[in-house]
Amino acid sequence: PSAHSLAWDYDVVITTFNRLSAEWGPQKKSAMMQVHWLRVMLDEGHTLGSSLSLTNKMQMAVSLMASNRWILTGTPTPNTPNSQLSHLQPLLKFLHEEAYGQNHKSWEAGILRPFEAKMEEGRSRLLHLLHRCMISARKVDLLAIPPCIKKVTYLDFTEEHARSYNELV
């Protein structure tokens, strides 16, 4: 769809990381980049940090104009013995976090190196940063969530919808 259509005809736009990656290009002006979004949410957002290089999906996600940015993940860092704090920086970059997301040198000097050197200031800065930009829910917190109400709504799937859907696959 055109940028105008995305902005005016849809309340919610759901896409994939593969589509984000395909939409990115140095000379390409994706319709998604021409819209100022109220909110951009990345589910499984930890995949942005799975590669420390600037991937197409990362560049596209960071380039989207948005008033609010959210990352949903249950795995903020890779779950391996060699997990490194450096995998958080791409997430901060997507969030446009001022101090450490926009400037990699500030991240390294202010948090990464002091934390890896086991200096208290690195740990303290990291905790302060995470407190500012993260909401954490424990399993015990989920007990207070009201039960889900399921409602099935059948929608007409026109020939045009089918064509549009099949083009994305």
Side-chain angles (χ1 to χ4, degrees):
S2 68
H4 179 80
S5 177
L6 282 176
W8 290 98
D9 298 339
Y10 299 95
D11 293 325
V12 176
V13 175
I14 298 173
T15 191
T16 64
F17 281 123
N18 286 343
R19 181 63 182 227
L20 275 184
S21 188
E23 288 286 320
W24 174 257
Q27 305 300 323
K28 196 173 186 180
K29 193 64 173 172
S30 164
M32 288 193 282
M33 289 179 61
Q34 296 174 41
V35 175
H36 185 102
W37 303 95
L38 173 63
R39 184 177 300 111
V40 173
M41 299 173 69
L42 299 181
D43 191 15
E44 301 297 332
H46 62 277
T47 63
L48 286 183
S50 63
S51 169
L52 298 178
S53 61
L54 274 178
T55 60
N56 285 353
K57 71 179 175 185
M58 174 63 166
Q59 291 181 89
M60 182 65 177
V62 168
S63 298
L64 293 171
M65 293 180 291
S67 299
N68 303 284
R69 296 167 172 272
W70 291 30
I71 295 175
L72 304 173
T73 183
T75 314
T77 59
N79 193 12
T80 65
N82 298 329
S83 290
Q84 296 179 357
L85 195 58
S86 55
H87 289 279
L88 288 176
Q89 208 275 332
L91 306 183
L92 297 171
K93 187 175 186 69
F94 165 75
L95 293 172
H96 289 196
E97 198 282 327
E98 280 186 49
Y100 301 113
Q102 301 300 314
N103 187 323
H104 191 74
K105 288 182 182 185
S106 294
W107 164 256
E108 285 183 345
I111 293 185
L112 185 61
R113 278 189 248 129
F115 184 85
E116 288 178 344
K118 298 185 180 358
M119 297 170 61
E120 179 55 33
E121 69 182 273
R123 181 183 173 283
S124 175
R125 285 183 190 144
L126 176 61
L127 289 175
H128 180 69
L129 169 67
L130 293 176
H131 187 15
R132 271 197 341 260
C133 68
M134 185 173 83
I135 299 170
S136 178
R138 300 166 298 168
K139 287 182 181 178
V140 70
D141 297 328
L142 301 178
L143 297 175
I145 296 177
C148 178
I149 298 170
K150 295 182 181 180
K151 179 181 176 187
V152 176
T153 304
Y154 292 99
L155 303 173
D156 290 330
F157 200 65
T158 65
E159 188 65 36
E160 182 181 343
H161 288 127
R163 253 193 327 278
S164 171
Y165 177 80
N166 290 329
E167 287 173 7
L168 296 175
V169 177

